[in-house]
């Protein structure tokens, strides 16, 4: 019942993008840029404009950073024990430490918890995007052919439009300015269209992933950490944070999401085990058909 009510609609939309890409073929990169630069910032703007500023923002930021750091530390230790090369260790980090909170986690939370849950999910998505553009970028460069300086990392954050959308909405909220309704109608239209658009794009991205060479052992490690260890750590973190029940459940659910699609882009850009990362993205998304219904049954 949980699968039918929550996950089946999500995967129908993923399948729409997947089939469209296989049968017609689209410029996925340009569509992704459109969603990233034009639509996601509007969704973030509306969320941070409408969600009252309180201690929950701090709790979600602390949770996001701690979860990421703990996962990276665990992978570092495992990599040392198993004798991974630097590139292999960084590839597993990309595949296991960064979850798909945008294309996948946000719509699942919307279907599971409604509009109130969506606001929490978008805030967590913004923090996750910030972590991927800093920690993720450094890790990809460290394990690949490129080099990333602190200046380059900061530049990548500055280019993130979703951050401007979030800060813009927060600023307008803090100065107590009310956006006229006739203008906010446009904001609502774009924000409401963002979630289904990024879901279709994820389906297209999955259709472009090849599974010709799968490093089975390392992918298995990445999948176990991403789909099992991550939500367990999230559970421990929410027990230590004074968050309400719904936010706690959303934090755990978001931590159980598959590998972020953007990590594949990073791995390809720097040559950091792209087969490992892309395989983890596709396989973890398919395995979530099993893991997420179990987790949703426990949480709901």
């Amino acid at each position: 019942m949980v699968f039918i009510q929550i996950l089946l609609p999500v995967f129908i939309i993923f399948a729409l993008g997947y089939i469209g890409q296989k049968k017609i073929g689209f410029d996925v990169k340009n569509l992704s840029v459109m969603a990233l630069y034009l639509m996601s910032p509007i969704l973030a703007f509306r969320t941070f404009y409408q969600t009252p500023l309180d201690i929950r923002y701090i709790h979600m930021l602390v949770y996001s950073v701690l979860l990421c750091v703990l996962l990276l530390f665990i992978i570092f230790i495992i990599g040392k024990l198993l004798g991974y090369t630097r590139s292999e260790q960084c590839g597993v980090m990309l595949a296991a430490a960064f979850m798909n909170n945008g294309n996948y986690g946000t719509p699942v939370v919307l279907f599971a918890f409604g509009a109130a849950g969506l606001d929490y999910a978008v805030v967590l998505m913004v923090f996750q995007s910030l972590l991927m553009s800093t920690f993720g970028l450094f890790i990809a460069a460290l394990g690949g052919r490129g080099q990333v300086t602190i200046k380059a990392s900061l530049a990548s954050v500055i280019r993130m439009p979703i951050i401007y959308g979030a800060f813009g909405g927060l600023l307008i909220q803090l100065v107590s300015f009310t956006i006229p309704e006739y203008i906010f109608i446009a904001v609502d239209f774009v924000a409401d269209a963002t979630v289904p658009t990024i879901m279709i794009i994820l389906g297209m991205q999955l259709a472009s992933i090849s599974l010709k060479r799968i490093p089975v052992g390392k992918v298995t490690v990445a999948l176990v950490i991403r789909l099992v260890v991550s939500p367990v750590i999230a559970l421990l973190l929410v027990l230590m944070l004074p968050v309400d029940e719904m936010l706690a459940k959303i934090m755990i659910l978001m931590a159980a999401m598959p590998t972020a699609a953007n990590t594949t882009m990073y791995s390809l850009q720097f040559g950091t085990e792209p087969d490992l990362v892309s395989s983890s993205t596709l396989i973890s998304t398919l395995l979530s058909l099993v893991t997420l219904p179990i987790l949703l049954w426990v949480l709901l």
Side-chain angles (χ1 to χ4, degrees):
M1 182 61 71
V2 170
F3 171 77
I4 294 175
Q5 293 179 345
I6 299 174
L7 291 183
L8 185 58
V10 171
F11 270 83
I12 287 174
I13 300 174
F14 289 165
L16 181 64
Y18 185 94
I19 294 170
Q21 184 63 20
K22 287 292 188 181
K23 296 296 184 180
I24 302 174
F26 296 91
D27 190 332
V28 180
K29 181 178 180 180
N30 282 341
L31 290 174
S32 298
V33 170
M34 177 197 70
L36 176 65
Y37 281 85
L38 298 182
M39 304 182 75
S40 295
I42 301 300
L43 177 61
F45 174 86
R46 184 179 70 175
T47 299
F48 279 75
Y49 170 70
Q50 292 183 325
T51 306
L53 179 63
D54 55 33
I55 194 65
R56 289 174 297 180
Y57 280 84
I58 303 299
H59 292 155
M60 285 187 276
L61 177 59
V62 170
Y63 156 83
S64 299
V65 173
L66 285 178
L67 177 62
C68 183
V69 170
L70 289 172
L71 289 173
L72 292 175
F73 178 74
I74 289 171
I75 298 165
F76 175 79
I77 297 300
I78 292 175
K80 289 296 183 183
L81 293 175
L82 297 181
Y84 289 172
T85 64
R86 185 176 69 178
S87 179
E88 290 169 342
Q89 193 170 62
C90 290
V92 175
M93 285 180 175
L94 288 174
F98 303 100
M99 68 288 293
N100 195 342
N101 280 353
N103 306 69
Y104 199 154
T106 300
V108 169
V109 169
L110 175 61
F111 280 109
F113 296 95
L118 177 63
D119 289 338
Y120 287 139
V122 172
V123 174
L124 290 169
M125 178 182 72
V126 170
F127 292 151
Q128 175 70 10
S129 297
L130 183 60
L131 290 170
M132 279 211 303
S133 294
T134 50
F135 290 1
L137 190 63
F138 270 119
I139 291 166
L142 183 65
R145 300 181 297 270
Q147 292 183 347
V148 172
T149 63
I150 294 177
K151 181 179 179 181
S153 181
L154 290 175
S156 72
V157 175
I158 291 173
R159 289 194 298 268
M160 287 179 60
I162 195 170
I163 299 298
Y164 290 101
F167 279 119
L170 191 60
L171 178 62
I172 293 179
Q173 180 193 152
L174 290 175
V175 298
S176 300
F177 177 78
T178 300
I179 299 176
E181 183 178 355
Y182 57 87
I183 294 179
F184 205 74
I185 288 175
V187 174
D188 270 334
F189 270 128
V190 178
D192 290 340
T194 301
V195 172
T197 299
I198 61 178
M199 292 169 71
I200 291 174
I201 290 172
L202 176 59
M204 293 177 179
Q205 291 172 330
L206 294 176
S208 304
I209 293 176
S210 173
L211 293 179
K212 293 180 180 179
R213 297 186 300 274
I214 304 176
V216 177
K218 300 175 189 65
V219 168
T220 301
V221 170
L223 295 178
V224 170
I225 294 174
R226 173 86 310 278
L227 299 175
V228 180
V229 176
S230 179
V232 171
I233 295 175
L235 171 62
L236 297 176
L237 290 175
V238 300
L239 290 176
M240 293 186 292
L241 293 170
V243 295
D244 62 71
E245 182 180 356
M246 183 171 72
L247 178 53
K249 290 180 178 179
I250 291 173
M251 286 175 166
I252 297 170
L253 181 60
M254 294 286 266
M257 291 298 138
T259 303
N262 284 350
T263 58
T264 298
M265 178 185 69
Y266 285 162
S267 68
L268 289 170
Q269 179 181 350
F270 293 100
T272 307
E273 305 296 324
D275 291 330
L276 189 164
V277 179
S278 60
S279 299
S280 298
T281 301
L282 179 56
I283 297 172
S284 64
T285 302
L286 295 176
L287 285 178
S288 68
L289 284 168
V290 176
T291 59
L292 287 183
I294 296 173
L295 182 59
L296 285 167
W297 178 76
V298 172
L299 294 177
L300 302 179

